[in-house]
Amino acid sequence: MEYQLLGNTGYHVSRLCFGALTLGPLATNLPLSKGAALLREAFMAGINFVDTAQYYRTYDYIAQALKGWQKELVIASKSYAETAQEMAYAVEEARIALQRDKIEIFLLHEQRDAATLKNNLPALEYLLEAKAMGLIGAVGISTHDVSAARMAAAMPEIDIIHALFNVRGLGIRGGSVTDMGQALARARALGKGIYTMKALGGGALIEEAQKSIAWAFAQKEAHAVALGMQDTAELYTNIAWMEGKKAPEEAVVKLRKRKLVFDKTPACSLCGACLKRCPQQALSFSEHGIVWVKERCLYCGYCIAACPWFCISFC
């Protein structure tokens, strides 16, 4: 396993970051014991960097996997908090759930553009206070947007940028893959820690998965790449592809046939919560109900969490 110093944070992290979203209710919803065992397998394989979020509801998996684990582990979490009070709650929730005095990295979650980042400055100010108190180690943002990445690069108080970045630029907002690459290169030159997400475009690039993952790890802008994994086959396939090797056990990637299902019971009330929550505008209304545009979907599962009637699921 290769490790890099994550910008000026002082953390040496594995280039492969375990993206924990796939473990929980927004994706595969693995049993706690199975998800924790997969994480522990990843730790033993040399992965020491885990990405999670308040919204993902995967803290329990990580806490379970960490029981008895003595080696260094860097955990990055995120919150949609907009106020100092909300962010204080989010940080404390993570510390308690993960059973850690200090969370290594804490991010403003999914900053949709530069304006969103400006509006969330009170939450950022709390993160800076928490960092000064030793409750967290580094502060940053996650984003799909080029303008937000550029703004964060120019902010001295930002340590980390977690950005959407893939070979085709799928899901990137406010610019192209080249634009995002330039923003991240600038940020890295300024000492920011950079780790990227959605190397497979949420599944849209699954037919060229090996090429897409190899591309993601070849980009000099990124210190690490977060990949979601749901079984050991995917774990060891991703490690092999990262290293430019043939995978010892080729994973059958379940995303290939994955689709959103809108359950008939309870019936969808057309409240629009899922449409508002989708960062990619992959959902819309029609006279027949909800329309899913698969080509835009990044399989983030955020619409599932937004639905007040639990109508939406993956299958």
Side-chain angles (χ1 to χ4, degrees):
M1 184 64 63
E2 181 185 351
Y3 301 86
Q4 286 198 10
L5 185 61
L6 190 60
N8 293 333
T9 65
Y11 296 125
H12 283 87
V13 298
S14 52
R15 293 218 65 213
L16 177 53
C17 171
F18 194 112
L21 181 148
T22 52
L23 302 176
L26 302 191
T28 55
N29 203 21
L30 294 177
L32 178 60
S33 59
K34 187 173 181 179
L38 177 58
L39 275 168
R40 191 62 172 252
E41 183 83 10
F43 299 164
M44 291 188 290
I47 294 174
N48 75 341
F49 190 14
V50 177
D51 175 78
T52 184
Q54 183 183 36
Y55 199 67
Y56 297 170
R57 289 177 276 167
T58 55
Y59 289 161
D60 289 349
Y61 294 95
I62 301 168
Q64 182 72 17
L66 281 172
K67 288 183 178 179
W69 186 256
Q70 299 298 319
K71 295 182 180 180
E72 178 185 9
L73 191 78
V74 176
I75 298 177
S77 191
K78 308 180 280 292
S79 174
Y80 284 110
E82 298 178 352
T83 68
Q85 184 177 8
E86 290 170 346
M87 188 59 83
Y89 178 90
V91 171
E92 195 61 17
E93 178 187 19
R95 292 174 67 236
I96 293 171
L98 293 168
Q99 302 172 35
R100 292 170 84 81
D101 294 331
K102 182 177 184 178
I103 307 299
E104 287 77 12
I105 298 168
F106 218 95
L107 311 175
L108 297 175
H109 198 166
E110 195 193 343
Q111 300 305 284
R112 297 192 176 194
D113 49 34
T116 304
L117 181 50
K118 287 180 181 179
N119 290 337
N120 292 341
L121 288 179
L124 177 61
E125 288 170 1
Y126 176 78
L127 287 180
L128 297 174
E129 292 177 13
K131 179 181 176 182
M133 291 186 289
L135 303 180
I136 61 177
V139 173
I141 72 164
S142 72
T143 189
H144 299 178
D145 184 78
V146 174
S147 68
R150 287 172 177 162
M151 182 176 174
M155 297 171 66
E157 58 267 48
I158 294 291
D159 305 307
I160 301 288
I161 299 176
H162 178 36
L164 190 153
F165 197 40
N166 57 60
V167 65
R168 291 195 184 175
L170 299 179
I172 293 176
R173 298 165 61 98
S176 65
V177 62
T178 300
D179 295 328
M180 182 63 87
Q182 290 173 348
L184 297 181
R186 173 64 174 162
R188 177 163 178 158
L190 291 170
K192 313 297 184 187
I194 308 296
Y195 72 110
T196 59
M197 63 173 118
K198 305 295 184 187
L200 297 181
L205 300 176
I206 219 65
E207 299 294 341
E208 47 190 286
Q210 183 171 3
K211 173 186 174 182
S212 299
I213 288 175
W215 181 92
F217 283 103
Q219 303 314 298
K220 296 181 180 179
E221 297 90 341
H223 298 99
V225 178
L227 295 175
M229 294 163 264
Q230 55 188 318
D231 54 38
T232 55
E234 286 192 7
L235 168 65
Y236 289 110
T237 295
N238 287 336
I239 291 173
W241 287 352
M242 174 188 66
E243 296 175 344
K245 300 176 181 176
K246 180 176 174 58
E249 180 183 5
E250 294 291 341
V252 178
V253 183
K254 298 178 178 62
L255 281 174
R256 180 170 301 171
K257 297 181 180 180
R258 215 166 167 204
K259 62 180 181 180
L260 278 179
V261 174
F262 298 90
D263 299 328
K264 299 299 183 184
T265 304
C268 174
S269 66
L270 300 179
C271 68
C274 57
L275 275 67
K276 294 176 183 177
R277 190 62 197 84
C278 178
Q280 300 305 128
Q281 298 179 322
L283 301 174
S284 62
F285 283 138
S286 80
E287 58 183 314
H288 303 294
I290 300 290
V291 176
W292 174 47
V293 183
K294 183 177 181 181
E295 292 74 21
R296 292 182 182 176
C297 184
L298 292 180
Y299 297 87
C300 61
Y302 292 179
C303 60
I304 296 173
C307 179
W309 303 103
F310 307 102
C311 294
I312 310 174
S313 61
F314 280 130
C315 74

